[in-house]
Amino acid sequence: MAAGERAAADLAGAAERTATAQLTPPGTAQLTAPATAQLATPAPVRLGDVVPTPDRVTPDPTADHLLRPDAVIRVSADPAALAVGEQLAALLRPATGYPLPVTDSVTPSPTGGIALDLTGDTDLGPEGYRLDIATDRVRLRAGTAAGLHHGVQTLRQLFPAAIESPRPVTARWVLPGGSIVDRPRYPWRGAMLDVARHFFDVPDVLRVIDHLARYKLNRLHLHLTDDQGWRIAIDSWPRLAPIGGAGAVGGDPGGHYTQADYRRIVAYAAARHITVVPEIDLPGHTNAALVAYPELAPDRVAPPPYTGTEVGFSYVDPARERTYDFVADVLGEIAALTPGRWLHIGGDEAFKVPAEVYARFVARVQRIVAGLGRTVIGWHQIAPAAHTDGRVLQWWGTNGDDPVTAEAVRRGATVILSPGNHAYLDMKYAPDTPIGHDWAGLIDVRRSYDWDPGTHLTGVPADAVLGVEAPLWTESVTTLAEIEFMLLPRLPALAEQGWSPRSTHDWDGFRRRLAGHGTRWATAGIAYHSGPDVPWPAPAGPVPAPRQPSGFADQAGREPAGRTAEPPAGG
């Protein structure tokens, strides 16, 4: 087992042991799987305790539902509905120990169990759902399988926290009575994982996908290439992955995904109604590609592999046709592997490319993406380039007054909001956080939560905001446990920004609802940061140890001399 995997496993084990100790009554022996552990009766979950908070909640305290050992999950006679039903059963079986058979029916009847009804109705949009809980029935209805899936995540949160146990426990599996009608505020609700600065194996990425699904996020942006590593195999340029992907920040081990690996990630995400958005960063952040193919470099000389964290020094030659052959080949293969409609071309921090040359390069790459039948996304630095239909700018600034982005929106672009001082998950929580940066400020949970995507950018109307995305850059993040520590609890705060109506925004209510998830994460063996701004019911697992990989520089030190137009950032 690799060192990173051991650290994650140790932290998960500690969290599970802590959770078991918290939940086992004094004097009760702690039993190991496959025996059944006896838990103290937890406080009942309230119907409104869901994260992200639903659109409409109507509690009925007289209608609580007890899930019984002989319960059946009935679903519509549709393969997509059946898949969601099997996922629900898989979530509930480990802790309950119940068989929970899944059966399909033309019109699911919720007699004595749970019914998932794929109605085909469009009144709640492509991701909305309605959940009704009564003493004798639980019924979840949605017009799409995505809506059913999101409803299942709500249902999961309404069971006692012990439902997250990986082994059977004795508990009364009671759901609070009432109804929920829910739909998302924005169609784009995502997170980005940088696998270029440090590489993460497929199981780690799948676990991140599970975290996104839990909070109804629907996009996983994978930052696949950068100066330190090229992480995806490209058949037409075979040296990119084995040579360009050999290293990582600080001289740590590299790695790459085979195309079969990547397909596995895409399929796993799709089964959870999450679209993978691949990023091939261009024209800068390309040192790893130039190591493998020096013909793409302006001087045709291969640079040495890069293990530091500075930015802005590398770029592919925008004057050579061979460069555009490379771009077309790489994006073509990525498009063939990715059923989603978006391709991310990066575009930030190309400091050594003159502005006019840069704009022409981006315009041509945008046309390549359009020719593949895909929609282009780029960091907001691509804003000055010519507009193409449907293009999306991902904005990561820290000052909401950005006339260049506002002008691109007037020309037809839409925007994903990833403000560095609210949404960047690689920022430290507090000065003593052992990993992360602080160039955009310290981001505790409240700072993640207290901003409004609809009004954040001056001159950008609310209807031009496609949604929100929380990036996690990994210059200082090296293990799965560290990923989880930086994601949680801030990821749910960003999820609520993307899903919940603005009228429901309430910090005090959110921090109370979020606190209950600490027990859920601990029970599931998930690492998280237990900061003082949330009234956690019990301490979290151990904090990841401080580390300073060789070659690591503070994020503020990555700013090239004379740079003042933008804050320093990973990209």
Side-chain angles (χ1 to χ4, degrees):
M1 180 183 289
E5 293 173 330
R6 285 197 299 271
D10 291 344
L11 188 54
E16 183 177 352
R17 289 191 296 274
T18 299
T20 302
Q22 293 162 0
L23 294 172
T24 304
T28 301
Q30 295 183 10
L31 304 179
T32 57
T36 300
Q38 175 69 45
L39 300 187
T41 302
V45 179
R46 299 188 303 181
L47 196 66
D49 284 345
V50 177
V51 177
T53 193
D55 188 358
R56 283 181 283 161
V57 178
T58 308
D60 182 354
T62 69
D64 290 358
H65 179 89
L66 175 65
L67 186 73
R68 299 188 179 280
D70 60 352
V72 175
I73 298 174
R74 296 176 174 84
V75 303
S76 296
D78 183 289
L82 187 62
V84 177
E86 292 289 358
Q87 289 174 1
L88 173 60
L91 290 172
L92 302 183
R93 284 170 182 151
T96 65
Y98 299 169
L100 295 172
V102 180
T103 181
D104 58 358
S105 171
V106 175
T107 55
S109 173
T111 53
I114 301 173
L116 307 185
D117 192 354
L118 188 59
T119 65
D121 296 337
T122 60
D123 57 329
L124 291 177
E127 296 184 275
Y129 64 91
R130 179 184 178 103
L131 176 63
D132 295 293
I133 300 173
T135 305
D136 61 344
R137 60 184 177 83
V138 175
R139 187 167 203 164
L140 174 62
R141 286 172 283 178
T144 67
L148 284 182
H149 177 269
H150 297 323
V152 160
Q153 304 313 310
T154 292
L155 195 59
R156 175 186 193 177
Q157 292 186 29
L158 293 175
F159 278 102
I163 200 67
E164 301 295 337
S165 173
R167 59 193 180 95
V169 296
T170 299
R172 296 183 72 251
W173 303 110
V174 178
L175 292 165
S179 66
I180 290 175
V181 179
D182 203 7
R183 73 184 85 191
R185 180 183 183 187
Y186 291 113
W188 191 287
R189 308 175 310 282
M192 188 214 77
L193 179 63
D194 170 20
V195 297
R197 271 55 177 272
H198 277 100
F199 179 69
F200 297 92
D201 288 328
V202 172
D204 293 346
V205 179
L206 302 189
R207 183 157 163 123
V208 170
I209 290 170
D210 287 338
H211 296 326
L212 269 58
R214 180 189 291 263
Y215 294 106
K216 304 183 178 73
L217 299 173
N218 63 355
R219 305 282 185 265
L220 173 63
H221 171 181
L222 282 179
H223 184 74
L224 290 166
T225 68
D226 216 295
D227 292 315
Q228 298 85 351
W230 185 285
R231 305 303 187 198
I232 180 68
I234 302 295
D235 290 344
S236 54
W237 295 75
R239 296 201 301 273
L240 283 171
I243 295 176
V249 166
D252 288 344
H256 69 272
Y257 305 117
T258 66
Q259 294 195 358
D261 290 335
Y262 182 77
R263 288 191 186 95
R264 181 183 172 196
I265 292 169
V266 169
Y268 190 89
R272 287 146 186 83
H273 301 275
I274 293 171
T275 301
V276 171
V277 180
E279 179 186 349
I280 303 297
D281 210 344
L282 299 163
H285 292 278
T286 51
N287 194 82
L290 303 182
V291 172
Y293 288 97
E295 67 195 83
L296 300 172
D299 60 2
R300 316 291 184 264
V301 175
Y306 187 66
T307 61
T309 60
E310 292 186 5
V311 300
F313 59 88
S314 67
Y315 64 100
V316 292
D317 187 352
R320 293 196 71 204
E321 282 301 309
R322 185 62 171 157
T323 295
Y324 299 98
D325 292 340
F326 163 76
V327 172
D329 289 344
V330 169
L331 294 182
E333 288 197 35
I334 294 293
L337 293 169
T338 310
R341 56 181 278 205
W342 298 278
L343 293 179
H344 203 303
I345 62 169
D348 65 328
E349 298 173 328
F351 300 131
K352 292 192 174 183
V353 182
E356 292 185 2
V357 175
Y358 171 86
R360 289 196 297 271
F361 175 89
V362 170
R364 185 163 176 181
V365 173
Q366 288 180 156
R367 292 194 295 272
I368 291 172
V369 173
L372 294 169
R374 302 304 171 90
T375 298
V376 69
I377 303 177
W379 300 106
H380 70 267
Q381 282 77 17
I382 74 169
H387 179 69
T388 56
D389 287 346
R391 79 170 180 155
V392 179
L393 308 182
Q394 185 167 0
W395 189 85
W396 56 265
T398 58
N399 181 349
D401 187 10
D402 184 345
V404 178
T405 295
E407 172 58 28
V409 169
R410 284 191 287 273
R411 288 187 280 136
T414 54
V415 180
I416 298 166
L417 271 295
S418 299
N421 54 344
H422 291 285
Y424 265 38
L425 299 180
D426 53 313
M427 294 298 112
K428 292 174 178 284
Y429 291 93
D432 61 350
T433 303
I435 54 177
H437 313 300
D438 60 6
W439 64 262
L442 303 174
I443 303 180
D444 57 17
V445 182
R446 183 162 192 171
R447 192 167 181 83
S448 294
Y449 186 76
D450 271 348
W451 63 288
D452 182 5
T455 60
H456 194 74
L457 274 180
T458 302
V460 174
D463 61 3
V465 176
L466 193 60
V468 298
E469 186 175 295
L472 177 59
W473 302 100
T474 62
E475 293 96 335
S476 68
V477 176
T478 63
T479 67
L480 175 62
E482 292 173 352
I483 288 175
E484 292 179 337
F485 179 80
M486 300 303 273
L487 286 180
L488 300 170
R490 292 180 292 193
L491 187 69
L494 273 298
E496 186 147 316
Q497 289 285 27
W499 180 279
S500 304
R502 184 63 188 173
S503 61
T504 66
H505 192 87
D506 171 49
W507 165 244
D508 286 336
F510 174 73
R511 66 193 287 268
R512 179 192 58 77
R513 286 182 285 114
L514 183 64
H517 287 242
T519 303
R520 294 178 181 273
W521 299 330
T523 302
I526 299 169
Y528 71 99
H529 175 264
S530 56
D533 46 354
V534 176
W536 306 106
V543 175
R547 52 179 291 124
Q548 192 87 346
S550 59
F552 174 79
D554 184 82
Q555 188 86 356
R558 297 170 54 196
E559 180 177 6
R563 184 184 181 207
T564 58
E566 294 285 352

